[in-house]
Short mmCIF file of all heavy atoms in Angstrom, two decimals:
data_model
loop_
_atom_site.label_atom_id
_atom_site.label_comp_id
_atom_site.label_asym_id
_atom_site.label_seq_id
_atom_site.Cartn_x
_atom_site.Cartn_y
_atom_site.Cartn_z
N GLY A 203 21.91 13.90 -3.98
CA GLY A 203 20.93 13.56 -4.96
C GLY A 203 19.50 13.20 -4.45
O GLY A 203 18.57 13.13 -5.14
N CYS A 204 19.39 12.99 -3.05
CA CYS A 204 18.11 12.63 -2.55
C CYS A 204 17.50 13.94 -1.86
O CYS A 204 18.29 14.81 -1.27
CB CYS A 204 18.38 11.54 -1.55
SG CYS A 204 18.74 10.03 -2.30
N THR A 205 16.19 14.01 -1.78
CA THR A 205 15.61 15.15 -1.07
C THR A 205 15.52 14.84 0.36
O THR A 205 15.14 13.74 0.85
CB THR A 205 14.18 15.35 -1.78
OG1 THR A 205 14.33 15.51 -3.08
CG2 THR A 205 13.56 16.55 -1.10
N SER A 206 15.72 15.77 1.31
CA SER A 206 15.67 15.73 2.61
C SER A 206 14.24 15.47 3.09
O SER A 206 13.24 16.01 2.45
CB SER A 206 16.17 17.01 3.33
OG SER A 206 15.80 16.98 4.67
N PRO A 207 14.01 14.54 4.10
CA PRO A 207 12.59 14.35 4.64
C PRO A 207 12.08 15.47 5.62
O PRO A 207 11.04 15.45 5.96
CB PRO A 207 12.71 13.08 5.38
CG PRO A 207 14.08 13.07 5.81
CD PRO A 207 14.97 13.55 4.81
N PHE A 208 12.94 16.54 5.81
CA PHE A 208 12.65 17.64 6.67
C PHE A 208 11.55 18.40 5.74
O PHE A 208 11.79 18.92 4.67
CB PHE A 208 13.82 18.50 6.91
CG PHE A 208 13.55 19.84 7.62
CD1 PHE A 208 12.79 19.69 8.78
CD2 PHE A 208 14.02 21.05 7.26
CE1 PHE A 208 12.51 20.89 9.55
CE2 PHE A 208 13.82 22.14 7.96
CZ PHE A 208 13.01 22.04 9.09
N ALA A 209 10.31 18.48 6.35
CA ALA A 209 9.15 18.95 5.53
C ALA A 209 9.40 20.24 4.79
O ALA A 209 9.03 20.25 3.55
CB ALA A 209 7.94 19.05 6.36
N PRO A 210 9.91 21.32 5.36
CA PRO A 210 10.01 22.57 4.59
C PRO A 210 10.94 22.43 3.41
O PRO A 210 10.68 22.96 2.34
CB PRO A 210 10.71 23.56 5.69
CG PRO A 210 10.26 23.04 6.89
CD PRO A 210 10.25 21.53 6.86
N ILE A 211 12.03 21.67 3.46
CA ILE A 211 12.88 21.44 2.37
C ILE A 211 12.20 20.54 1.26
O ILE A 211 12.28 20.82 0.18
CB ILE A 211 14.31 20.77 2.86
CG1 ILE A 211 15.09 21.70 3.66
CG2 ILE A 211 15.04 20.38 1.49
CD1 ILE A 211 16.30 21.10 4.23
N TRP A 212 11.59 19.46 1.82
CA TRP A 212 10.86 18.53 0.99
C TRP A 212 9.72 19.28 0.09
O TRP A 212 9.69 19.13 -1.19
CB TRP A 212 10.19 17.50 1.76
CG TRP A 212 9.61 16.20 1.23
CD1 TRP A 212 9.57 16.04 -0.09
CD2 TRP A 212 9.21 15.03 1.88
NE1 TRP A 212 9.03 14.74 -0.46
CE2 TRP A 212 8.87 14.11 0.94
CE3 TRP A 212 9.12 14.71 3.10
CZ2 TRP A 212 8.26 12.93 1.07
CZ3 TRP A 212 8.45 13.43 3.49
CH2 TRP A 212 8.19 12.54 2.34
N ILE A 213 8.98 20.07 0.91
CA ILE A 213 7.84 20.85 0.13
C ILE A 213 8.42 21.72 -0.89
O ILE A 213 8.02 21.73 -2.10
CB ILE A 213 6.94 21.51 1.17
CG1 ILE A 213 6.19 20.63 2.10
CG2 ILE A 213 6.00 22.48 0.51
CD1 ILE A 213 5.72 21.26 3.42
N THR A 214 9.34 22.60 -0.50
CA THR A 214 9.91 23.55 -1.42
C THR A 214 10.51 22.92 -2.72
O THR A 214 10.28 23.34 -3.73
CB THR A 214 10.98 24.46 -0.68
OG1 THR A 214 10.48 24.85 0.44
CG2 THR A 214 11.52 25.49 -1.49
N GLU A 215 11.33 21.79 -2.43
CA GLU A 215 11.90 21.22 -3.65
C GLU A 215 10.85 20.51 -4.48
O GLU A 215 10.92 20.67 -5.74
CB GLU A 215 12.81 19.92 -3.08
CG GLU A 215 13.51 19.13 -4.03
CD GLU A 215 14.45 19.97 -5.00
OE1 GLU A 215 14.99 21.02 -4.64
OE2 GLU A 215 14.73 19.37 -6.08
N MET A 216 9.86 19.84 -4.03
CA MET A 216 8.94 19.09 -4.93
C MET A 216 7.98 20.14 -5.70
O MET A 216 7.60 20.02 -6.75
CB MET A 216 7.98 18.29 -4.01
CG MET A 216 8.68 17.11 -3.44
SD MET A 216 9.61 16.11 -4.54
CE MET A 216 8.42 15.38 -5.64
#
Side-chain angles (χ1 to χ4, degrees):
C204 296
T205 303
S206 167
F208 178 48
I211 295 176
W212 191 354
I213 293 167
T214 305
E215 177 63 23
M216 296 308 289

